[in-house]
């Protein structure tokens, strides 16, 4: 049987898959704490500069706050180091996406996932005990490196453990858990004030998650895409048994092993394949814009007026209404993945635009810059959620993590720049929101150039569909990145890209 038929036979989202996906979704709580750690650990209290009798200048903090700023006096000329530590984290995530995405396509999801989770926990404790700023910054870089790889593989596994009809739901659950994790981190920061204790407490759940994740199996989709069909069948039978519907006679269709071996190729395939190259360029900019606006608004929560802990909680909880909206819109034929992503991005840009043109004396009004910023955060969260799901559907299984890795790399470029965007206020107070506005609007328009994936079968390999020598019909059309148009001429090779009305399959380069 076909792979999707096998998932329907064993259970697309049975009890065993719910437990496995549940663990991966809860892991997002831990990852959110690591991503947001610097918002509270790097909080800067008000301070005064005292002039001593000897002519030297000393810094005196007016708020009883324990953070890296107060411990290492990261103020005035040293203040940039706080933003630098945040950027180093996202730089690590970027490198992790580049390294571990293609690596998981080559050697498997499970070994990469367990390795990076182990080292992220290890480096997370190094953050808590760092004796100097330099070692603290290095630990954040290393945590980001592992976080980038783990987040990528974790998301892929939540998709590949279940049937395709549940991809949107599991992807949304992961992103929803990340938002809850931001809110929980704000509450934890309110209860645990010393920054070293907060860093250690935030990192400790990773130990439990690692011990529970050891029993997770390899992705059957990845095994099948690599031609390891027997191993994929074994895992699917085990899933069927745990779901209470034994399928001892389950046998997957054997595709051409040569084609499946060619289905990989990682980054080189993304560049050489014309369809994937076009999609990847568009998706990279969309991810970059989502990240810049999302993290630019979120990381600014600690500097917004009011309680810094309450602001972190609020900027996390404001995302939650976005996810039911996503689930509703992306499954409607008139909206789908493409129009929903474009619509939410354009609305997020428009919300930031309204913040720019709002009168400066509107702070006490119902609609003010703070409420519009929160609305922008909600809308860009919806777009960010959909683009994860959308990207996974636009890439075949054989190079899905390579594609996600490259897109996440562009995403982290936005994350690296995000901590510095608020500093553009020194040029003009409206400049940060102008950047967010233009990023959202342009990304939304470019997303409309991508194809719709709602209702389309998932691709498993990249090669042209093989023909049956006897009948001339296409074999296993659902496994390939091509779509049907009319009939295939007998005098042409199925790998040729046709542009006339005689082609049977053409590359979906819309």
């Amino acid at each position: 049987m076909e792979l999707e038929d096998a998932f329907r036979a064993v259970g697309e989202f049975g009890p065993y898959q719910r437990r496995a996906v549940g663990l991966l979704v809860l892991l997002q709580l831990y990852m959110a704490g690591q991503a947001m750690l610097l918002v509270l650990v790097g909080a800067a209290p008000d301070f005064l500069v005292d002039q001593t009798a000897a002519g030297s200048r000393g810094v005196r903090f007016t708020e009883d706050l324990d953070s890296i700023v107060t411990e290492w006096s990261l103020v005035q000329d040293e203040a940039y180091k706080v933003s630098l530590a945040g950027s180093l984290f996202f730089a690590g995530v970027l490198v992790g996406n580049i390294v571990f995405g293609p690596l998981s396509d080559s050697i498997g999801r499970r070994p990469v996932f367990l390795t990076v989770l182990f080292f992220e926990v290890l480096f997370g404790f190094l953050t808590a005990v760092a004796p100097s700023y330099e070692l603290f910054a290095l630990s954040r870089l290393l945590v980001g490196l592992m976080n980038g790889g783990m987040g990528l593989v974790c998301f892929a596994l939540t998709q590949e453990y279940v049937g395709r009809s549940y991809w949107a739901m599991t992807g949304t659950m992961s992103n929803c858990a990340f938002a809850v994790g931001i809110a929980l981190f704000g509450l934890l920061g309110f209860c645990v004030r010393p920054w070293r204790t907060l860093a250690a407490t935030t990192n400790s759940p990773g130990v439990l998650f690692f011990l529970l994740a050891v029993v997770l199996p390899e992705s059957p989709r990845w095994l099948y895409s690599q031609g390891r069909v027997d191993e994929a069948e074994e895992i699917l039978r085990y899933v069927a048994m745990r779901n209470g519907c034994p399928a001892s006679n389950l046998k997957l269709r054997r595709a051409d092993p040569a084609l499946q071996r060619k289905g990989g190729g990682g980054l080189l395939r993304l560049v050489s394949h014309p369809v994937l190259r076009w999609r990847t360029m568009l998706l990279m900019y969309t991810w970059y814009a989502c990240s810049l606006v999302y993290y630019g608004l979120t990381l600014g929560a600690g500097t917004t007026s009011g309680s810094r802990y309450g602001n972190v909680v609020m900027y996390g909880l404001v995302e939650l209404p976005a996810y039911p909206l996503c689930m509703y819109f992306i499954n409607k034929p008139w909206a789908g993945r493409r129009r929903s992503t474009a619509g939410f991005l354009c609305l997020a840009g428009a919300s930031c635009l309204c913040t720019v043109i709002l009168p400066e004396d509107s702070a006490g009004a119902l609609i003010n810059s703070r409420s519009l910023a929160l609305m922008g955060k909600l809308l860009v969260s919806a777009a960010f959620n959909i683009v994860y799901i959308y990207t996974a559907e636009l890439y075949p299984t054989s190079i899905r993590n390579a594609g996600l890795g490259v897109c996440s790399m562009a995403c982290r470029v936005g994350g690296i720049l995000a901590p510095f965007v608020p500093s553009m206020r020194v040029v003009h107070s409206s400049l940060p929101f102008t950047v967010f506005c233009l990023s959202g609007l342009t990304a939304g328009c470019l997303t409309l150039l991508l194809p719709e994936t709602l209702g389309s079968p998932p691709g498993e390999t990249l090669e042209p569909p093989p023909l049956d020598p006897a009948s001339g019909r296409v074999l296993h059309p659902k496994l390939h990145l091509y779509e049907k148009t009319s009939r295939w001429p007998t005098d042409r090779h199925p790998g040729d890209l046709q542009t006339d009305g005689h082609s049977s399959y053409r590359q979906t380069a819309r």
Side-chain angles (χ1 to χ4, degrees):
M1 61 178 69
E2 303 287 359
L3 186 59
E4 288 305 313
D5 295 331
F7 269 100
R8 283 189 283 270
V10 306
E12 290 190 276
F13 195 55
Y16 178 74
Q17 288 132 307
R18 286 196 290 270
R19 288 191 292 270
V21 170
L23 174 62
L24 296 171
V25 167
L26 289 176
L27 188 58
Q28 297 295 319
L29 303 178
Y30 168 73
M31 296 180 64
Q34 290 293 354
M36 296 295 112
L37 185 68
L38 205 67
V39 175
L40 298 182
V41 165
D46 294 332
F47 64 92
L48 297 174
V49 179
D50 296 328
Q51 193 78 26
T52 64
S56 61
R57 304 174 70 185
V59 175
R60 177 166 54 90
F61 294 100
T62 59
E63 181 182 353
D64 184 17
L65 179 68
D66 183 12
S67 70
I68 63 171
V69 174
T70 58
E71 180 166 334
W72 294 314
S73 297
L74 303 181
V75 295
Q76 295 183 308
D77 293 342
E78 301 289 304
Y80 75 93
K81 291 184 177 180
V82 179
S83 296
L84 178 61
S87 293
L88 285 174
F89 174 84
F90 286 106
V93 175
L94 185 154
V95 177
N97 293 155
I98 297 173
V99 173
F100 296 114
L103 186 63
S104 68
D105 282 333
S106 300
I107 68 174
R109 315 304 199 210
R110 185 175 181 271
V112 172
F113 173 68
L114 293 176
T115 300
V116 296
L117 176 55
F118 173 82
F119 282 105
E120 178 165 358
V121 173
L122 183 66
F123 295 138
F125 284 118
L126 178 61
T127 295
V129 300
S132 64
Y133 170 80
E134 289 73 21
L135 194 56
F136 173 86
L138 176 63
S139 71
R140 298 315 296 161
L141 174 67
L142 295 174
V143 169
L145 179 68
M146 299 301 132
N147 190 279
M150 184 176 68
L152 199 64
V153 182
C154 181
F155 183 81
L157 286 174
T158 61
Q159 305 276 281
E160 295 177 3
Y161 280 158
V162 302
R164 189 178 187 276
S165 60
Y166 287 90
W167 282 10
M169 186 189 74
T170 55
T172 299
M173 288 168 57
S174 297
N175 291 320
C176 185
F178 191 89
V180 173
I182 295 175
L184 291 177
F185 174 69
L187 292 175
L188 181 63
F190 178 79
C191 299
V192 182
R193 298 300 177 89
W195 79 264
R196 292 184 184 276
T197 307
L198 176 59
T201 306
T202 303
N203 190 60
S204 296
V207 178
L208 176 62
F209 284 123
F210 176 78
L211 295 176
L212 293 174
V214 170
V215 300
L216 292 177
E218 182 56 271
S219 163
R221 291 183 183 275
W222 178 82
L223 290 170
Y224 184 77
S225 72
Q226 299 298 304
R228 295 161 62 177
V229 182
D230 292 336
E231 296 174 66
E233 289 174 347
E234 183 179 352
I235 290 177
L236 288 171
R237 292 191 192 103
Y238 176 75
V239 172
M241 181 190 68
R242 296 294 299 271
N243 285 343
C245 50
S248 57
N249 60 343
L250 184 147
K251 298 290 287 184
L252 293 173
R253 185 188 298 276
R254 263 60 174 173
D256 187 344
L259 289 180
Q260 288 194 317
R261 284 194 297 270
K262 292 178 183 178
L267 298 177
L268 182 61
R269 277 291 195 174
L270 297 180
V271 176
S272 60
H273 198 288
V275 176
L276 295 177
R277 182 170 61 245
W278 173 245
R279 289 185 185 179
T280 301
M281 288 190 296
L282 294 175
L283 287 169
M284 285 178 68
Y285 184 75
T286 302
W287 280 63
Y288 160 80
C290 285
S291 178
L292 182 69
V293 180
Y294 179 91
Y295 286 108
L297 294 172
T298 306
L299 295 176
T303 59
T304 308
S305 59
S307 168
R308 60 175 58 91
Y309 307 103
N311 287 337
V312 173
V313 172
M314 185 168 56
Y315 271 79
L317 294 180
V318 76
E319 296 184 34
L320 296 182
Y323 301 115
L325 288 175
C326 292
M327 292 298 293
Y328 175 79
F329 281 107
I330 64 177
N331 291 310
K332 295 297 181 181
W334 48 266
R337 276 61 161 159
R338 181 182 59 172
R339 293 190 185 95
S340 296
T341 305
F344 282 121
L345 278 170
C346 289
L347 288 174
S351 180
C352 293
L353 176 62
C354 292
T355 304
V356 172
I357 63 178
L358 204 66
E360 295 184 2
D361 58 351
S362 61
L366 178 63
I367 300 178
N368 52 43
S369 58
R370 188 183 187 186
S371 62
L372 287 172
L374 288 170
M375 178 60 68
K377 174 70 188 304
L378 184 152
L379 293 166
V380 78
S381 299
F384 217 164
N385 174 62
I386 300 172
V387 80
Y388 267 93
I389 301 166
Y390 192 24
T391 302
E393 294 178 344
L394 284 169
Y395 287 109
T397 300
S398 57
I399 60 162
R400 181 168 295 127
N401 257 19
L404 284 168
V406 171
C407 292
S408 294
M409 176 188 69
C411 171
R412 303 318 160 191
V413 172
I416 292 170
L417 297 177
F420 293 99
V421 173
S423 64
M424 299 171 71
R425 290 180 184 274
V426 299
V427 180
H428 194 279
S429 60
S430 64
L431 196 53
F433 281 99
T434 302
V435 172
F436 298 149
C437 166
L438 294 176
S439 300
L441 292 176
T442 54
C445 293
L446 289 174
T447 301
L448 294 173
L449 300 177
L450 291 166
E452 180 57 66
T453 59
L454 178 63
S456 302
E460 303 296 341
T461 70
L462 289 169
E463 298 305 311
L467 300 179
D468 185 336
S471 64
R473 294 184 177 180
V474 173
L475 297 175
H476 326 316
K478 292 184 179 181
L479 301 181
H480 303 273
L481 195 66
Y482 287 74
E483 67 175 14
K484 191 172 182 180
T485 57
S486 57
R487 66 179 181 85
W488 191 276
T490 57
D491 60 336
R492 294 184 181 179
H493 188 272
D496 297 335
L497 178 62
Q498 306 296 331
T499 58
D500 56 29
H502 300 290
S503 59
S504 176
Y505 279 76
R506 61 180 173 85
Q507 292 169 300
T508 56
R510 293 191 300 271

